[in-house]
Amino acid sequence: IQSLLATAEKVLDAGEQSTAAEKEQARQQLRQSSEVALDHISNVLGVIRGDKSLAGIRPDETFNITEELRSLVMMIGPIARQRKVALKLWLDPHEDTWVHGPVRFVRALFQNIIDNSAKYGGTEVEIGLTCRPLSSPDEQDESVKITLTVKDLGGGLPPELKARLFEALDQSGKLKERATSGHPSAGLNVLAHALHQLGGKLDLSDRYAESDKTGSDARNDVIGTVITVTLNLQKGERISPLDDPERALPLQDAPLSGRSIILVEDSPSSRDWLTHILRNAGAQVWAAGNGIEALSLLIRPEIRDRLDLILTDMTLPYMSGLEFAERVRQSEQTPWTG
């Protein structure tokens, strides 16, 4: 709801000087935010009441956990912009990761953590997703270790909020079975319930300012909070019609052979199709779902130093394609002139 309000304010504040294209872009962003927000509201309600009866239990499904995180950044983006919070997003590996499991709990868990950081995390929130394959002893049941790391500059969590958090979670990161003193917020209960269902673990630590000090004075300045969630999910098979070899385009003379391209497109189907075309033409493609993710790619010298071209959609969440291009030119962290 806060995301919708922030997006609506942006649409209503568009002055008479705005072009028809800018107004249409704002309307599209509002529609996208509405669809995502409604989906997540429905998901959280499902987490709260889904296990109350056998009829309410949804089966596990195969899903793209990378795209789930992009979707969350899209929903949180308007809130962050309204509060003048800079979002940073990094993925390791950058390629999409497909897993099989209860997507509703993953969404609720990720949303709760990222949403609170965007609201109370100061001027900058850094979101990272790491996915590492794990093999079972018989190498038949492959799983993936998922790590979500959220760092903020909110000055550290106040003691009363930490106490409420640990009332909902015990030290192993699972839901407490016994009653506790006080009453954690509904949001913390959703977080604890989702984490319990996923068998995950949550670690909370203070974030310290970088310092040249040594010894006992080296870690005095708390500037924010670091929340790390780890969980294991079964590996899933990628779902895409583009994986059909009969639909692959002929390489022919590979006109883009040796070229390196960053592609910025928020529509998963369009992004997959454009990536497919460019790679079949011989290019190395780094695909990003938004400008935040693309900027994180440009910070990496091994990508930036060999990059020939950036292709970007104009209608993107959080920042438009034009604003993304301006940030590329203005940022000292991304000195690229291609």
Side-chain angles (χ1 to χ4, degrees), residues 10 29 77-78 80-81 85-87 292 316-320 323 327:
K10 182 181 176 183
Q29 289 179 341
R81 179 182 290 275
V85 177
L87 296 180
I292 304 169
L316 295 168
Y318 192 72
M319 70 178 80
S320 69
E323 185 179 351
R327 291 198 186 188

Side-chain angles (χ1 to χ4, degrees), residues 55-174:
I57 297 178
R58 289 173 52 188
D60 290 350
E61 55 191 284
T62 298
F63 63 98
N64 182 344
I65 195 167
T66 311
E67 196 58 40
E68 288 295 332
L69 185 57
R70 290 189 182 113
S71 173
L72 272 173
V73 171
M74 171 186 162
M75 185 176 70
I76 301 300
I79 301 173
R81 179 182 290 275
Q82 189 181 55
R83 296 171 180 266
K84 295 182 171 54
V85 177
L87 296 180
K88 293 186 176 181
L89 174 65
W90 54 266
L91 306 169
D92 182 21
H94 190 78
E95 298 295 323
D96 288 354
T97 299
W98 290 78
V99 293
H100 186 82
V103 62
R104 61 201 179 281
F105 294 124
V106 174
R107 286 177 181 169
L109 180 64
F110 283 15
Q111 177 191 335
N112 190 290
I113 294 170
I114 295 172
D115 178 55
N116 279 287
S117 292
K119 291 176 185 173
Y120 311 116
T123 57
E124 181 182 290
V125 175
E126 180 180 324
I127 305 162
L129 181 68
T130 302
C131 303
R132 292 284 181 266
L134 298 172
S135 297
S136 60
D138 56 9
E139 295 188 353
Q140 292 183 351
D141 185 19
E142 291 185 279
S143 59
V144 181
K145 181 180 180 180
I146 308 295
T147 305
L148 175 74
T149 305
V150 180
K151 304 177 181 179
D152 65 41
L153 294 177
L157 289 179
E160 60 272 16
L161 186 54
K162 285 185 180 179
R164 287 168 56 201
L165 177 61
F166 287 112
E167 281 192 27
L169 303 169
D170 68 16
Q171 294 302 315
S172 68
K174 294 184 179 179

Side-chain angles (χ1 to χ4, degrees), residues 42-61 102 104-105 193 197:
S42 176
N43 179 73
V44 169
L45 290 174
V47 168
I48 293 170
R49 66 191 178 203
D51 292 337
K52 297 291 178 65
S53 67
L54 290 175
I57 297 178
R58 289 173 52 188
D60 290 350
E61 55 191 284
R104 61 201 179 281
F105 294 124
H193 183 60
Q197 294 296 326

Side-chain angles (χ1 to χ4, degrees), residues 22 69 100 139 184 199 204 216 248 251 263 267 281 301 307:
E22 289 171 337
L69 185 57
H100 186 82
E139 295 188 353
L204 179 69
S216 60
L251 286 177
L263 169 69
S267 165
L307 186 65

